[in-house]
Amino acid sequence: MLAYHIGVEVECKIAEAISPRHYDEGFHTTGTCGSFGSAAACARLRGLNVLQTQYALGVVATEGGGFRNNFGSMTKPFQAGHAAENGTVAVDLAALGWTASDNILEAPLGFFQAAGGGF
């Protein structure tokens, strides 16, 4: 239950931080920010340490995607499922020793800047 709440909190806080430009310009936050939430929840379930969790977030930032233009199609719900898969894969890779940016959200060329023009 704690992992679920961590995932929801992470997804919502990232979506709030990057709003409204991210959504207004066509991103589907369930697919983009949801990937971060899934990674956070999975990191808790797998018992990753802080650095591994940071790497998992760096990996999942590369995997996430989703566009509002797909609303009304079969692809919209796929984006939610894919976000969940992204988090699982990112955590598995981080647990195996994969590295990524340890500050992917706030970095000058990180997620907030690239996908929303800042936070």
Side-chain angles (χ1 to χ4, degrees):
M1 196 57 146
L2 178 58
Y4 172 80
H5 286 286
I6 288 170
V8 169
E9 186 75 8
V10 166
E11 178 179 355
C12 289
K13 291 300 181 188
I14 291 173
E16 289 170 3
I18 202 168
S19 184
R21 182 174 166 204
H22 183 72
Y23 188 81
D24 289 347
E25 292 193 6
F27 285 100
H28 180 206
T29 53
T30 300
T32 57
C33 301
S35 294
F36 289 103
S38 174
C42 291
R44 173 64 183 173
L45 289 172
R46 291 284 305 270
L48 268 58
N49 65 36
V50 172
L51 185 58
Q52 289 173 312
T53 302
Q54 289 172 312
Y55 287 161
L57 294 175
V59 171
V60 87
T62 298
E63 293 181 285
F67 299 97
R68 290 177 50 214
N69 197 57
N70 279 317
F71 284 14
S73 76
M74 295 167 79
T75 304
K76 184 188 185 244
F78 170 79
Q79 292 173 159
H82 190 59
E85 177 187 26
N86 290 341
T88 302
V89 170
V91 166
D92 285 347
L93 294 173
L96 290 171
W98 274 48
T99 62
S101 171
D102 61 359
N103 68 334
I104 195 64
L105 294 173
E106 303 94 343
L109 297 176
F111 179 76
F112 286 144
Q113 182 60 40
F119 60 96

